Amino acid sequence: MEKMNCPPDFRCPISMEIMKDPVTIVTGVSYERKNIEKWFFVYNKKTCPTTMQCVESFDMTPNHTLKRLILAWKETLVATSSTSSSMPQPLIKHDEMVTLFTALESSPFKVSSMKKIRAIVELGDETKSDFIRSGGVEAVVGMLINQFDNSDFVSFQVCEEALGILHLLPLSKQDENSFQLISQPDPMRSIAIILQRGSAEARFYAITIFRKIAKTGFNWNPLIEDQGIDLFKSLLELVYDGICNKASSYALEILFEILSSSKKSRLKAIEAGAICILIELLPDSNRSKSEKMLLLIKLLCESPEGRMAMVDHSLGIPVISKTLLQVSNLATKLGVKILWQVCNFHPTERVLEEMLMHGAVKKMVTLLHLEGRLSSTKKKVLEMLKMHCNSWKRHQCFPCDLKDYLGVK
């Protein structure tokens, strides 16, 4: 309830979480201190995440007024909850909402109108349903398409505000009308461009909408044909930035949906640098993200171009070798599959030597003892060991007990 009714200005534009230590930068926008510090000093960005203006000074001024307002608002919530056993249902501002979105086309204050509509929709599920029933989706999607044809900054802001409303909706196939309206080529193209060029907040709205649409079995091919490599670059940039964990995780999920449904799309992802980015991020990722990244690398390594990108990366084999028996059972299985793909199609001397030197061979031997039955993972391990033992046995670090196990002299 706290987050749902939170005034938008109390949220950090980067993480979308309620701020605890707000600071203001030179553009006049306030952020959670740790998030904007990470943006500037970890990711070396030189722009304001909200306005995308270049900044020459990284000075941050504590916003004591905003902090006091947030604390006072939280205290009010506590006081209200202590005097009432249940929160009162928000009043449905039906007439105001309908008036706002029916007058959007002619209004000279479109951004302001969009913000007001969003504030009403945010009141709860009842107002969301009323918004959908009253034709709000048609009106907002119409603005998203029409305003995008204009090149001025205000029109782009209107489109960003439109996504701020649409990302709040369920967008499932149960609500077929809303889904059909948003999943058409024109609005999807607009969302994809905002994902590439929008503010940090708008990009979060865009990736949230894409994630909801991805769960419906959406056909991404027309959008990929239209946007090409730029779509993958924008998704990978969200993964790489890592400032908003939700946005990063959503981007990985969408990449999986796209790559698993279309082999052609994998070539564009590889061209966009997917293998390089995933390999570099993998060592510092948590369990959930590591598994998602390994799954994507496995899909990409099913193509010759993906395997070549994997082999050419100096950290490719070392990083995958490190994940074995370290992250999770699923990560180990995926790591074995990736190494198996590389060993089968690119068994160069350097690849085999790196597998041995970085512990992959030793860990595969351990897997032989851990895997009780002849699982698919164990089968792949045995295939690799038998196929390349003649290359590995020349090295002193090749396990002696493995020679006996394979009958190698």
Side-chain angles (χ1 to χ4, degrees):
M1 181 63 71
E2 178 181 304
K3 288 187 179 181
M4 183 181 72
N5 294 326
C6 172
D9 291 339
F10 291 0
R11 292 193 182 102
C12 172
I14 295 175
S15 66
M16 301 306 294
E17 298 293 328
I18 299 169
M19 289 184 276
K20 297 178 181 177
D21 184 16
V23 294
T24 304
I25 63 172
V26 291
T27 57
V29 183
S30 293
Y31 299 93
E32 177 65 33
R33 182 185 293 276
K34 66 178 182 181
N35 293 334
I36 194 63
E37 285 180 345
K38 194 172 184 181
W39 176 268
F40 285 146
F41 306 125
V42 176
Y43 296 104
N44 297 318
K45 300 289 187 179
K46 297 181 180 179
T47 56
C48 171
T50 300
T51 65
M52 300 310 290
Q53 293 174 269
C54 290
V55 294
E56 296 181 359
S57 171
F58 299 138
D59 291 344
M60 301 174 198
T61 305
N63 193 332
H64 297 300
T65 302
L66 180 57
K67 187 173 183 178
R68 282 195 297 270
L69 288 171
I70 294 172
L71 290 173
W73 172 75
K74 287 184 175 181
E75 288 172 3
T76 303
L77 282 184
V78 172
T80 303
S81 61
S82 64
T83 57
S84 175
S85 58
S86 61
M87 291 292 290
Q89 290 293 322
L91 295 174
I92 302 176
K93 300 183 179 180
H94 173 81
D95 292 340
E96 181 185 355
M97 181 169 62
V98 172
T99 300
L100 283 166
F101 64 65
T102 52
L104 270 175
E105 190 64 42
S106 58
S107 172
F109 308 109
K110 292 180 174 62
V111 173
S112 177
S113 297
M114 286 287 198
K115 288 181 182 290
K116 290 177 181 177
I117 294 171
R118 179 181 170 186
I120 296 172
V121 174
E122 282 182 323
L123 289 174
D125 292 339
E126 199 172 348
T127 51
K128 288 177 188 175
S129 299
D130 187 43
F131 172 78
I132 294 169
R133 284 194 306 268
S134 303
V137 179
E138 289 92 332
V140 172
V141 170
M143 291 303 296
L144 177 64
I145 297 170
N146 296 334
Q147 291 296 305
F148 217 89
D149 293 334
N150 301 327
S151 57
D152 60 286
F153 178 70
V154 174
S155 296
F156 198 79
Q157 271 191 305
V158 173
C159 295
E160 291 190 336
E161 290 298 331
L163 296 197
I165 297 169
L166 297 175
H167 95 285
L168 298 169
L169 307 180
L171 303 184
S172 63
K173 283 196 172 179
Q174 281 70 35
D175 180 19
E176 189 172 347
N177 186 47
S178 297
F179 172 76
Q180 288 297 332
L181 284 167
I182 297 172
S183 61
Q184 292 300 310
D186 285 341
M188 288 296 285
R189 175 179 174 272
S190 300
I191 297 168
I193 292 175
I194 289 175
L195 186 68
Q196 297 164 30
R197 306 177 193 167
S199 64
E201 194 172 7
R203 292 168 71 205
F204 178 76
Y205 299 152
I207 201 69
T208 302
I209 293 170
F210 273 176
R211 180 179 181 249
K212 291 178 179 180
I213 289 175
K215 291 183 175 181
T216 64
F218 177 74
N219 179 15
W220 294 92
N221 289 331
L223 185 64
I224 294 169
E225 288 296 321
D226 180 61
Q227 295 297 304
I229 193 174
D230 289 337
L231 176 63
F232 293 98
K233 284 182 177 179
S234 61
L235 289 169
L236 289 166
E237 185 176 350
L238 275 181
V239 174
Y240 186 77
D241 281 350
I243 294 175
C244 177
N245 286 329
K246 276 188 180 179
S248 178
S249 182
Y250 290 174
L252 287 170
E253 291 176 23
I254 294 165
L255 281 168
F256 173 73
E257 291 294 333
I258 294 174
L259 299 181
S260 60
S261 62
S262 168
K263 291 186 177 180
K264 287 184 179 179
S265 64
R266 298 176 193 178
L267 298 179
K268 288 186 171 65
I270 294 164
E271 188 181 349
I275 290 285
C276 179
I277 289 171
L278 294 171
I279 286 295
E280 289 177 8
L281 291 177
L282 193 54
D284 298 320
S285 299
N286 60 29
R287 172 178 170 174
S288 176
K289 279 192 177 179
S290 293
E291 291 172 349
K292 290 174 183 176
M293 290 178 184
L294 286 166
L295 194 54
L296 290 174
I297 294 171
K298 183 192 80 70
L299 286 173
L300 295 173
C301 283
E302 289 175 3
S303 68
E305 293 82 359
R307 291 190 292 270
M308 187 60 67
M310 172 75 184
V311 169
D312 287 344
H313 198 296
S314 60
L315 294 177
I317 299 300
V319 166
I320 299 300
S321 299
K322 189 177 180 181
T323 63
L324 300 182
L325 298 174
Q326 182 168 315
V327 179
S328 67
N329 289 336
L330 177 58
T332 296
K333 290 179 180 180
L334 292 169
V336 168
K337 287 179 181 179
I338 293 167
L339 292 175
W340 180 83
Q341 288 170 332
V342 172
C343 279
N344 263 8
F345 298 98
H346 294 279
T348 63
E349 185 176 345
R350 182 176 70 82
V351 167
L352 297 178
E353 185 174 337
E354 284 185 350
M355 286 181 65
L356 189 65
M357 297 305 175
H358 292 282
V361 176
K362 186 176 181 179
K363 289 180 179 179
M364 288 194 294
V365 175
T366 304
L367 277 170
L368 289 178
H369 299 297
L370 292 178
E371 294 280 342
R373 55 190 177 82
L374 195 61
S375 64
S376 60
T377 301
K378 187 171 182 177
K379 286 180 181 177
K380 285 181 171 57
V381 168
L382 278 170
E383 284 180 28
M384 284 188 281
L385 291 173
K386 288 180 179 179
M387 190 183 304
H388 303 297
C389 65
N390 286 330
S391 298
W392 288 327
K393 70 179 182 180
R394 299 194 299 268
H395 295 269
Q396 290 183 350
C397 54
F398 188 72
C400 294
D401 57 344
L402 184 58
K403 293 181 182 180
D404 298 331
Y405 184 88
L406 296 174
V408 177
K409 295 182 180 179

